C-alpha cells in the first residue's frame, strides 16, 4: 500500500478489505496458518539483505560498519525467530497437545510458576550457552492453568477478533512486524499496520515479506503522518489499537491532545472508545551489586553497560538510563573509570532519531557541573546524580545519555534500597538489569531471588541485558502488569510470547558474568564469547547475518561459521 492521502475514503476501503480478510482468517485451519508462517519465513530470508540495507540507510550506517550487526539481529533475525516459535506452537495445538509440552516448569518466588523458555533445544544450548530465560506467571496462577490456556486465540481459531490497528515503532524495525504477528495469532485480529514515518522506506520490503498475508486480506500496511494515525484510531471499523511509542503519544490517543486532554486524563475521562494495548518504554535501571572484581571483570562489565545504553545509539525503550551503584563499594571509582573509557571509545554513529541532539542538550542544561559530554559531544554522562528527585529518573531521554547514582549499603541492605529506588523513583516498568559477581549471588543466598521478585519490571536481566528477552521469541515482552490508562507507565499488555501464554507477569533472564574462555578458566561453565549485540563486538555484522540465516533454516552445517565469527568478535 502507498501513502494514504484521502483519509476517510481510503481508510473505509482498507477496513472493508480487512473485514473480508477476517472471514478468510476465520476459515483457515491451523495447518493453513502454519503454511502462511512458512511462506513469511521464506520471503523474509529472500529479502533480509534488502531489509538490512534499507535499515542502514535510515540510520545512516556505512554498509561495512560492524554496527550493521544490530540491524541483522534486531531486524530479520528477531522476526524469523518469532515466526519459528509461533509455528511450533501451532503445530502442538494441531496435534492436540499443549504448546507447553516439553518445557520445564518449576516454582518461582511468591507462589509463581516459572516456564524455562531458553534454552529450549540443543541449538539454543550451543549458540547461547550460559544464557537462560524463564517466563514467570502471576502469583497464584498454576502450572495446570498455564498448560490449558497456552495458545490463546489459536485454541479457538474461528472466533476472530475484528480489525486491529498497529501503530509501529520507529527505532527497532522488527517491532512492527512482531506486533502484527501477535495481533493475528494471539488475538485472532486482522491488522492495519501504520508505519512510523521514520520507517517508511521499509514499506516496499515489508510488502514483499508479508506478500501472502496482504494477498489474503489479513494485513494492510500504510504510511502517513499524525493525521492518518488519528483518523485510523477514530475509525469505527477499527476495534482495537496497539501502539509502541512514547507515553505522551499513548495519552493523546486515550484522552486527546493539549490542555483539554490532560484535564480529561486527570478526571479519568477516557476519550478513546475502544481498547488499547501499548509498549511505551521508560527509565530503565542497571543495578550493580558490590563485590570483588578483577580488572578484566571491571572492563568487561563496563562494556556491557555501555552496550545497554548505546545499542542503537540509545534509541531503545529498554536502553539503560540510570546506573545504580553502592556508595560503599570499594571498587566503585575503578568501575567508573572503566565505564568512562568504554563510553568514550564506543564506535561513533549518527544521531538519526529526531530530537536526539536536543535531548542531549537538555540533559546537559538540566545538570550543570555534573554533565560530561564525550565522544566529540555526541554522548552525555551524568555522574553522581543525588538519589533525590531528578529529571533523569522521571523522563526517558531516548538518546545517548547515561546517568549514574549511588545508594549506601552492601548485602541485603543494598538490595532493599536498590529495589525500592527502582520501583518507586524511576518512571516505567519495562526492564531492569542487574550485574553481580557469581560469588556475590551465592553469598546472598535466598535474598537474591527475593530481590529479583521484588523488582516490578516486565523483564529482569541478571548479568545480561533485557534486550536478550526481546530476542527470545518465547519470552514475554511488555511492562509489569497493573498499569491503567490514566497512568500507563511502560504500557498495558504483552507481545512476542511465542508460546501464547496467558496469566504471565514477567521474564527473568540470566547470563554469564564473564565471556568464554575466561568464564571457563575462572570456574563458570559458560561457552558464550562476547555477545554479538555488544557495541564493542568487531564481527557483529558477520555473526548477525549468519545467525539470521540459521534462524531461517536451522542446521548443523551453519554452526561452525557462526562460532568462528563469534569467537573473533
Amino acid at each position: 500500500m502507498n501513502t494514504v492521502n484521502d483519509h476517510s475514503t481510503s481508510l473505509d476501503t482498507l477496513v472493508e478489505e480487512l473485514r473480508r480478510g477476517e472471514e478468510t482468517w476465520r476459515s483457515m485451519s491451523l495447518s493453513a496458518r502454519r503454511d502462511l508462517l512458512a511462506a513469511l519465513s521464506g520471503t523474509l530470508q529472500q529479502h533480509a539483505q534488502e531489509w538490512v540495507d534499507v535499515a542502514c540507510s535510515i540510520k545512516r550506517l556505512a554498509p561495512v560498519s560492524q554496527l550493521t550487526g544490530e540491524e541483522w539481529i534486531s531486524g530479520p533475525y528477531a522476526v524469523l525467530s518469532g515466526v519459528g516459535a509461533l509455528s511450533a506452537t501451532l503445530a502442538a495445538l494441531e496435534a492436540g497437545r499443549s504448546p507447553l509440552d516439553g518445557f520445564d516448569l518449576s516454582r518461582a518466588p511468591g507462589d509463581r510458576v516459572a516456564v524455562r523458555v531458553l534454552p529450549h533445544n540443543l541449538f539454543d544450548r550451543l549458540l547461547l550457552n550460559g544464557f537462560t530465560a524463564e517466563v514467570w506467571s502471576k502469583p497464584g496462577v498454576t502450572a495446570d492453568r498455564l498448560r490449558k490456556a497456552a495458545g490463546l486465540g489459536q485454541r479457538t481459531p474461528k472466533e476472530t477478533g475484528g480489525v486491529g490497528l498497529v501503530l509501529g515503532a520507529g527505532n527497532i524495525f522488527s517491532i512492527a512486524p512482531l506486533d502484527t504477528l501477535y495481533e493475528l495469532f494471539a488475538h485472532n485480529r486482522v491488522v492495519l499496520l501504520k508505519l512510523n514515518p521514520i520507517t517508511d522506506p521499509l514499506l516496499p520490503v515489508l510488502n514483499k515479506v508479508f506478500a501472502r498475508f496482504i494477498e489474503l486480506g489479513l494485513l494492510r500496511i500504510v504510511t502517513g503522518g499524525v493525521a492518518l494515525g488519528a483518523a485510523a484510531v477514530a475509525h469505527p471499523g477499527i476495534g482495537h489499537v496497539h501502539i509502541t511509542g512514547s507515553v505522551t503519544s499513548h495519552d493523546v490517543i486515550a484522552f486527546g491532545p493539549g490542555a483539554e486532554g490532560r484535564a480529561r486524563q486527570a478526571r479519568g475521562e477516557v476519550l478513546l472508545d475502544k481498547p488499547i494495548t501499548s509498549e511505551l518504554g521508560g527509565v530503565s535501571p542497571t543495578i550493580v551489586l558490590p563485590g570483588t572484581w578483577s580488572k578484566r571483570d571491571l572492563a568487561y562489565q563496563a562494556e556491557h553497560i555501555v552496550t545497554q545504553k548505546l545499542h542503537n545509539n540509545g534509541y531503545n525503550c529498554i536502553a539503560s538510563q540510570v546506573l545504580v551503584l553502592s556508595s560503599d563499594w570499594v571498587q566503585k571509582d575503578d568501575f567508573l573509570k572503566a565505564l568512562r573509557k568504554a563510553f568514550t571509545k564506543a564506535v561513533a554513529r549518527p544521531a538519526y532519531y529526531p530530537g536526539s541532539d536536543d535531548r542531549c542538550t537538555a540533559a546537559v542544561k538540566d545538570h550543570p557541573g555534573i554533565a560530561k559530554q564525550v565522544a566529540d559531544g555526541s554522548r552525555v554522562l551524568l555522574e553522581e546524580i543525588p538519589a533525590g528527585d531528578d529529571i533523569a529518573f522521571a523522563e526517558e531521554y531516548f538518546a545517548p545519555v547515561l546517568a549514574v547514582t549511588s545508594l549506601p549499603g552492601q548485602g541485603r541492605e543494598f538490595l532493599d534500597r536498590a529495589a525500592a529506588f527502582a520501583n518507586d523513583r524511576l518512571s516505567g516498568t519495562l526492564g531492569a538489569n542487574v550485574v553481580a559477581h557469581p560469588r556475590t549471588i551465592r553469598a546472598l543466598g535466598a535474598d537474591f531471588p527475593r530481590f529479583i521478585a521484588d523488582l516490578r519490571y516486565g523483564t529482569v536481566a541478571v548479568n545480561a541485558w533485557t534486550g536478550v528477552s526481546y530476542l527470545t521469541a518465547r519470552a514475554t515482552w511488555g511492562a509489569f502488569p497493573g498499569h491503567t490508562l490514566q497512568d500507563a507507565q511502560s504500557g498495558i499488555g504483552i507481545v512476542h510470547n511465542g508460546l501464547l501464554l496467558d496469566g504471565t507477569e514477567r521474564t527473568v533472564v540470566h547470563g554469564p558474568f564473564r565471556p568464554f574462555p575466561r568464564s571457563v578458566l575462572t570456574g563458570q561453565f559458560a561457552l558464550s564469547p562476547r555477545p554479538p549485540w555488544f557495541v564493542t563486538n568487531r564481527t557483529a555484522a558477520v555473526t548477525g547475518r549468519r545467525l539470521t540465516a540459521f534462524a531461517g533454516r536451522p542446521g548443523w552445517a551453519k554452526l561452525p561459521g557462526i562460532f568462528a565469527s563469534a569467537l573473533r568478535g
Side-chain angles (χ1 to χ4, degrees):
M1 305 299 295
N2 295 319
T3 302
V4 176
N5 295 313
D6 183 351
H7 297 157
S8 59
T9 303
S10 296
L11 281 173
D12 287 345
T13 301
L14 293 172
V15 170
E16 181 56 34
E17 291 171 352
L18 287 166
R19 281 176 174 162
R20 292 196 296 269
E22 184 184 4
E23 293 303 313
T24 301
W25 189 233
R26 180 180 290 118
S27 69
M28 292 184 71
S29 66
L30 293 178
S31 176
R33 294 180 182 199
R34 281 200 299 117
D35 289 343
L36 266 182
L37 289 172
L40 172 58
S41 177
T43 52
L44 180 48
Q45 292 172 68
Q46 182 182 352
H47 298 289
Q49 183 68 61
E50 182 183 358
W51 172 316
V52 171
D53 289 345
V54 174
C56 290
S57 175
I58 293 171
K59 297 184 179 183
R60 305 203 297 275
L61 297 176
V64 296
S65 171
Q66 69 191 55
L67 298 176
T68 62
E70 294 180 1
E71 300 313 308
W72 280 104
I73 295 171
S74 69
Y77 171 82
V79 178
L80 285 167
S81 297
V83 167
L86 284 172
S87 183
T89 291
L90 293 185
L93 292 170
E94 190 179 1
R97 297 182 285 106
S98 169
L100 273 178
D101 288 352
F103 286 81
D104 291 333
L105 276 65
S106 61
R107 299 189 67 177
D111 193 26
R112 297 172 172 94
V113 175
V115 180
R116 177 66 63 90
V117 295
L118 181 74
H120 175 55
N121 55 37
L122 183 56
F123 287 142
D124 288 345
R125 289 181 174 85
L126 291 171
L127 290 171
L128 288 168
N129 191 269
F131 286 89
T132 65
E134 294 178 338
V135 175
W136 286 11
S137 73
K138 294 176 182 177
V141 174
T142 65
D144 185 60
R145 177 182 159 188
L146 286 174
R147 287 192 182 93
K148 289 179 178 178
L152 293 177
Q154 298 312 294
R155 285 191 166 273
T156 54
K158 294 187 181 301
E159 298 176 13
T160 50
V163 180
L165 171 67
V166 171
L167 299 172
N171 57 333
I172 294 295
F173 297 160
S174 60
I175 292 177
L178 287 171
D179 289 352
T180 295
L181 290 173
Y182 199 68
E183 287 292 290
L184 278 159
F185 288 90
H187 303 298
N188 264 342
R189 282 191 279 267
V190 294
V191 175
L192 175 65
L193 168 61
K194 183 202 168 294
L195 297 180
N196 185 294
I198 294 173
T199 67
D200 284 356
L202 274 172
L203 177 64
V205 182
L206 292 178
N207 277 335
K208 295 172 189 175
V209 169
F210 282 96
R212 188 66 181 136
F213 286 79
I214 294 170
E215 290 168 7
L216 293 171
L218 311 178
L219 171 65
R220 291 291 181 265
I221 310 175
V222 297
T223 60
V226 173
L228 173 61
V233 166
H235 194 282
I238 297 292
H240 181 275
V241 177
H242 179 79
I243 177 176
T244 300
S246 70
V247 69
T248 301
S249 298
H250 168 275
D251 291 346
V252 168
I253 291 171
F255 300 101
E260 289 185 8
R262 291 190 292 273
R264 287 191 198 94
Q265 185 175 5
R267 296 193 301 268
E269 183 184 319
V270 180
L271 191 64
L272 186 66
D273 62 351
K274 59 200 67 172
I276 180 172
T277 52
S278 52
E279 191 263 88
L280 306 173
V283 176
S284 293
T286 297
I287 301 166
V288 177
L289 305 192
T292 303
W293 297 10
S294 70
K295 287 184 178 180
R296 296 183 73 178
D297 293 338
L298 292 168
Y300 178 76
Q301 291 300 340
E303 289 182 28
H304 190 187
I305 290 165
V306 166
T307 292
Q308 295 172 10
K309 174 73 270 182
L310 294 182
H311 182 280
N312 199 31
N313 208 37
Y315 313 133
N316 287 335
C317 47
I318 36 81
S320 180
Q321 181 160 310
V322 179
L323 176 61
V324 183
L325 304 176
S326 168
S327 55
D328 296 323
W329 187 22
V330 295
Q331 292 182 292
K332 174 186 163 188
D333 290 340
D334 293 335
F335 182 68
L336 286 174
K337 181 179 178 181
L339 182 74
R340 291 184 206 107
K341 181 178 179 181
F343 196 66
T344 302
K345 290 182 65 177
V347 178
R349 65 177 89 203
Y352 77 89
Y353 206 90
S356 173
D357 290 336
D358 292 340
R359 290 189 290 276
C360 286
T361 299
V364 173
K365 182 180 178 181
D366 291 337
H367 300 88
I370 293 178
K372 297 179 181 178
Q373 291 181 276
V374 300
D376 297 327
S378 64
R379 301 169 191 152
V380 179
L381 189 61
L382 308 174
E383 283 195 40
E384 297 298 350
I385 294 180
D389 291 331
D390 191 274
I391 192 169
F393 304 155
E395 295 185 11
E396 182 184 11
Y397 277 119
F398 216 69
V401 178
L402 178 63
V404 183
T405 194
S406 298
L407 302 171
Q410 299 195 60
R412 179 168 180 172
E413 179 188 13
F414 180 73
L415 295 184
D416 291 342
R417 285 199 173 109
F421 174 78
N423 289 338
D424 302 333
R425 304 298 300 279
L426 302 182
S427 174
T429 65
L430 188 61
N433 312 283
V434 178
V435 177
H437 195 289
R439 279 198 306 268
T440 301
I441 295 175
R442 288 194 297 270
L444 287 166
D447 285 338
F448 187 75
R450 180 188 59 79
F451 165 65
I452 299 303
D454 285 345
L455 290 168
R456 297 193 297 268
Y457 286 83
T459 295
V460 179
V462 179
N463 292 331
W465 179 34
T466 49
V468 176
S469 177
Y470 180 92
L471 295 174
T472 302
R474 293 178 175 89
T476 55
W477 186 252
F480 195 79
H483 299 314
T484 64
L485 287 178
Q486 260 185 298
D487 184 20
Q489 294 274 322
S490 288
I492 299 169
I494 60 169
V495 290
H496 298 195
N497 185 24
L499 290 168
L500 302 180
L501 299 175
D502 192 23
T504 62
E505 180 187 70
R506 72 177 85 190
T507 291
V508 178
V509 175
H510 286 260
F513 182 72
R514 302 181 178 100
F516 179 82
R518 200 159 54 87
S519 55
V520 175
L521 296 175
T522 54
Q524 186 182 21
F525 188 77
L527 302 181
S528 291
R530 177 183 280 104
W533 53 84
F534 265 41
V535 295
T536 52
N537 191 303
R538 294 169 296 178
T539 61
V542 175
T543 305
R545 185 173 66 249
R546 291 177 179 175
L547 282 170
T548 301
F550 180 87
R553 289 190 179 90
W556 292 100
K558 295 177 181 178
L559 294 181
I562 295 173
F563 293 150
S565 176
L567 287 169
R568 287 197 304 271

